[in-house]
Amino acid sequence: MTRGKQKIEAQRKNAEKNQKARGSQLEARAVGLKVVCPVCKVQLANHNQLIDHYGSKHPKEKPPSNSE
């Protein structure tokens, strides 16, 4: 029965480890979003994404220069 006890303890330990890993990633996501579209206020990660965003969402507008 020693192996049965080890199995139960291993399952409990894995359950605790997996439970700690879960949670909201909103704070981590907010740190990565550094560029804001001046037209619609969408937050983007970098200037290249802003240029792509302008091409698809604001085709008549000119994207701002890379002055980060």
Side-chain angles (χ1 to χ4, degrees):
M1 279 285 131
T2 303
R3 183 66 183 135
K5 183 178 178 183
Q6 289 174 342
K7 179 180 176 183
I8 293 171
E9 288 178 4
Q11 287 175 345
R12 181 183 52 81
K13 186 177 177 182
N14 286 336
E16 289 175 4
K17 185 172 75 171
N18 291 337
Q19 193 174 33
K20 290 178 187 174
R22 292 185 183 182
S24 177
Q25 295 181 351
L26 293 176
E27 295 86 17
R29 183 174 182 262
V31 170
L33 300 176
K34 297 178 181 167
V35 179
V36 178
C37 174
V39 176
C40 63
K41 307 298 186 214
V42 170
Q43 296 177 342
L44 303 164
N46 57 34
H47 191 348
N48 292 337
Q49 285 185 348
L50 181 63
I51 292 171
D52 292 342
H53 170 75
Y54 262 80
S56 64
K57 300 295 182 184
H58 314 295
K60 295 180 181 177
E61 300 287 329
K62 184 178 178 184
S65 63
N66 190 3
S67 59
E68 293 179 4

